[in-house]
Structures are given as structure tokens and as C-alpha cells.
Amino acid sequence: MHQGRRRDRRPVHHAEPARHEAPVPAVAGADVVIVGCFSGRQKDSAALMDSAAREIETRGARVVGRIVQRRGVSDGGVRKMALPFSARTLLTYGKVREAALLCERTAAGAAVFVTPLTPRQRRTLTGMLGCPAVGLAEILAVD
């Protein structure tokens, strides 16, 4: 007997449309907010934020605020220290809201993340923060 065609159980891979990534915003002359996401084990987070601020200021930008997300400081977070809070944002939702309010209040031209961002994270954070989100490494690579 003839059997009907069964559904193929292999995952379907749809071709994604080509997305044009936004160019890295020029920070020269802009007010920026620095955002850092650090493990609780990383004791030099303040020094890393200071170093990032100096790098940004040498490129002509003015740092108008800082946001730090610490991972593993509480008992529950110790097991998850190596993982980001969110694959989309790197931060908790509350910290993203705090950063968005700071960007709005200071009329920041960009939010510079100390950690590298994926293209998806850049798009998501840019929409949530109301200003371009960019990784520090991308700014340093522009020169």
C-alpha cells in the first residue's frame, strides 16, 4: 500500500534577509553613558570603567553617566556568573530601564558598553535605550 508523505522532521532553515548593520556612531563631541556588565569575581570593574571613560574622552566624547551590572554578588547569582543575564541585552530588565532613564535624562548621544555586543544586541539595546548602543571595542576599532 502507498503511504502518505510524512512531515519531514528536519528543522527548516529559512534564509534570513540581509540586514544592513548601522555604522558605529561617531562619539567625538557626543555625550555618552558607559555601561558595564561584570562578574562578581572581577574585582577591578571600577578600574575597567575608568579606563573605558578615559578611552572615550580621548576620542572627544564626554561621559555623562555610568551604569554597572554586577553578576554573582548575591547567593543565587553565583552559579550563573559566567552567563549573561539576557542573550538579547546582557543586562537585567531593571538595569536596562535604569540605563534608558539615564540616557534620556542626560540626552546621551550613545550608550557605550564595555563588553562587546553582537549585532542583535546592538539593535535591541538601541531600541530600548533610545540612543545608539555600541561596544567599546567597536569605537576603538574605528580609529
Side-chain angles (χ1 to χ4, degrees), residues 6 13 32-33 39 42 61 63 65 71-72 74 96 100 102 111 113 116 133 137:
R6 294 183 188 188
H13 296 286
V32 300
V33 171
S39 164
Q42 195 163 8
V63 177
R71 183 79 188 241
S74 66
V96 172
L102 181 59
F113 283 73

Side-chain angles (χ1 to χ4, degrees), residues 28-79:
D31 291 342
V32 300
V33 171
I34 300 176
V35 183
C37 183
F38 302 105
S39 164
R41 292 181 185 149
Q42 195 163 8
K43 303 299 181 198
D44 61 343
S45 60
L48 290 172
M49 292 291 282
D50 291 340
S51 174
R54 281 191 302 276
E55 288 288 339
I56 291 168
E57 288 171 347
T58 60
R59 283 158 175 75
R62 186 170 68 109
V63 177
V64 294
R66 295 177 184 206
I67 298 286
V68 175
Q69 176 78 66
R70 301 284 297 181
R71 183 79 188 241
V73 177
S74 66
D75 291 335
V78 172
R79 293 183 307 277

